[in-house]
Amino acid sequence: MDEDNQGNTSPYDNPQQFYSERIRYETSDGDFFHVDLKYLKDFTNNDESESKSTRSKGLVVILHGFESNSYSHLVIDMARSYLMEGFDVAAINFRGCSVEDILVGDDDKGKVQRRNIPNNNLGGYHLGFTEDLEFFLSQISSDESFEGLPIYLSGFSLGANAILKFLGESSCHKIDKYNIQGAAVTSVPLEIVLSASMLNTPGINKELYSRNLINSFKSKFISKYSGENKEKLPSSVYDKVMNAKFIYELEDSYLTNAYPQFKNHMDYYGKVQCKNFLNEISVPVLGINAQDDPFFHPEMSLEDNMDHIFMRFERNGGHCGFLFHQERDVGFSKNTTSWMPRELARFISHVHQSNL
């Protein structure tokens, strides 16, 4: 849908109309996930910048963070920044994270409600879950619509970790097969083991961030395992999840049951933290973190001899804080986005130009 056809409604308020299409991908283990795509041709049609080409430079695949989705302001802001640089965008929803907006009540007086779409299987996703990213890349690599287009990856927080892990564990043959040219990520949990205790720190971390994430997870968990579906889950796991007060308690109960390769939350962190995989990355990557990020340990660092990793540590920004869009008087028709998405998009555009 053309942006101008949305009237005065911002894409942040109406993401369902912002995206060009949603594709549901069925996986070999009986589950599914959704990908929301926005094509450059839909973004620039009837736009004030008529001189812009509608021919896409490439496709940027976005991965969201824990308990987020493609409809979040952060993902929309990132998508718009990449579109402004001339790229198509594909926002992957991790399993169990997809949402949809539905009209409840009469057409005239009805209200739009956002509803979560639960996945089929017990497991959904985690910090190192790269299976659906690779499945999507394999699908588009054989799709004539994307033939020859360079692929770039971008994400924040949990999504950033999954991207860097995927790039590090993928062979050069696989990178070439999927035509991956680079990545740009932010709020990257480089050392999860070191930062594990930060979310439990008394104060805003525990009372605001952790509580909101846990409540969001429990809400979807209750919806998924209510009624007859509750029998699909061991009663001990259900009780432990509902009694969890810390994120690591969710991981020790639910995650280790869904993914038995993890013995406990510390074993999980040690196996999936992206720092383990950075030395094997073969494409240019920009990572931007904030020094005041409350999720990460202040001693979290990165080795200086990373050939392809360009890591910036800004003084301020919090955890994804500099991703939030600030509305200004210029309005959305001027394609305004916030600072961080613009920085990520500028890097991807630079990498693209360098490869021409």
Side-chain angles (χ1 to χ4, degrees):
M1 174 173 291
D2 299 345
E3 289 207 329
D4 285 356
N5 290 343
Q6 296 182 37
N8 295 323
T9 302
S10 86
Y12 303 88
D13 297 328
N14 198 348
Q16 195 155 291
Q17 290 191 22
F18 167 72
Y19 289 107
S20 303
E21 67 172 329
R22 165 170 283 187
I23 300 177
R24 172 173 167 143
Y25 289 95
E26 305 288 340
T27 61
S28 60
D29 59 353
D31 215 337
F32 69 92
F33 65 97
H34 291 113
V35 179
D36 289 308
L37 295 109
K38 179 72 172 183
Y39 302 114
L40 181 65
K41 63 181 178 64
D42 297 332
F43 184 73
T44 54
N45 284 350
N46 300 322
D47 194 277
E48 293 183 4
S49 303
E50 294 181 357
S51 61
K52 283 186 177 181
S53 171
T54 58
R55 180 177 176 81
S56 173
K57 297 177 180 177
L59 177 70
V60 178
V61 182
I62 299 176
L63 289 188
H64 60 76
F66 182 55
E67 288 303 288
S68 186
N69 55 67
S70 63
Y71 282 18
S72 74
H73 285 207
L74 281 69
V75 173
I76 297 291
D77 218 20
M78 293 172 69
R80 287 172 59 84
S81 289
Y82 288 119
L83 288 158
M84 288 164 57
E85 291 290 339
F87 296 92
D88 292 329
V89 172
I92 295 179
N93 290 277
F94 284 111
R95 302 184 190 187
C97 292
S98 305
V99 294
E100 61 182 350
D101 292 337
I102 59 173
L103 185 66
V104 178
D106 298 332
D107 291 341
D108 295 333
K109 299 180 180 180
K111 294 183 178 180
V112 175
Q113 292 185 1
R114 185 155 294 174
R115 181 175 64 182
N116 172 253
I117 305 174
N119 64 309
N120 296 333
N121 296 347
L122 173 60
Y125 67 106
H126 55 75
L127 281 155
F129 189 77
T130 59
E131 285 86 340
D132 289 349
L133 170 60
E134 181 167 2
F135 183 81
F136 174 69
L137 293 174
S138 70
Q139 294 296 301
I140 63 173
S141 67
S142 58
D143 188 332
E144 293 182 357
S145 302
F146 300 99
E147 185 177 2
L149 280 181
I151 305 298
Y152 301 92
L153 307 180
S154 188
F156 57 90
S157 195
L158 180 147
N161 190 87
I163 285 172
L164 296 184
K165 177 177 177 288
F166 172 77
L167 290 175
E169 64 187 5
S170 297
S171 64
C172 291
H173 171 74
K174 185 181 293 185
I175 296 296
D176 291 339
K177 175 185 176 182
Y178 298 142
N179 201 18
I180 300 172
Q181 302 295 314
V185 292
T186 185
S187 297
V188 188
L190 296 168
E191 296 183 270
I192 308 170
V193 172
L194 181 62
S195 301
S197 62
M198 297 300 291
L199 276 174
N200 304 323
T201 303
I204 190 171
N205 278 15
K206 179 181 177 182
E207 300 303 326
L208 179 61
Y209 289 125
S210 289
R211 184 171 60 185
N212 286 344
L213 290 172
I214 291 171
N215 288 342
S216 174
F217 182 90
K218 286 183 178 180
S219 176
K220 292 196 300 186
F221 186 81
I222 293 172
S223 175
K224 182 175 180 177
Y225 292 107
S226 60
E228 295 180 356
N229 287 333
K230 189 175 179 179
E231 298 178 0
K232 299 179 181 179
L233 192 71
S235 59
S236 60
V237 174
Y238 186 90
D239 293 339
K240 288 179 180 178
V241 168
M242 298 313 300
N243 291 326
K245 293 181 173 58
F246 301 97
I247 290 179
Y248 74 83
E249 291 178 327
L250 294 177
E251 294 163 340
D252 281 342
S253 55
Y254 173 78
L255 189 73
T256 55
N257 190 277
Y259 301 97
Q261 67 265 37
F262 303 129
K263 299 176 183 178
N264 51 51
H265 69 281
M266 291 304 290
D267 180 57
Y268 159 56
Y269 298 156
K271 288 178 177 176
V272 303
Q273 63 180 7
C274 65
K275 191 172 184 179
N276 301 344
F277 306 88
L278 297 182
N279 280 318
E280 303 302 319
I281 292 178
S282 59
V283 297
V285 175
L286 172 67
I288 304 181
N289 278 16
Q291 294 178 5
D292 64 351
D293 191 319
F295 284 19
F296 302 150
H297 196 282
E299 296 181 8
M300 186 179 74
S301 62
L302 189 67
E303 297 176 20
D304 295 329
N305 60 345
M306 298 287 181
D307 293 335
H308 300 284
I309 312 293
F310 305 92
M311 197 73 200
R312 287 168 49 183
F313 290 90
E314 301 293 330
R315 178 174 298 178
N316 303 113
H319 191 73
C320 299
F322 38 27
L323 271 170
F324 284 108
H325 181 84
Q326 299 292 324
E327 291 191 35
R328 298 181 176 88
D329 294 337
V330 293
F332 290 100
S333 64
K334 300 294 184 181
N335 294 331
T336 57
T337 60
S338 51
W339 175 79
M340 175 55 64
R342 288 199 302 272
E343 288 295 293
L344 300 179
R346 284 178 60 243
F347 177 79
I348 293 298
S349 188
H350 171 74
V351 171
H352 180 78
Q353 288 298 122
S354 299
N355 290 337
L356 293 180

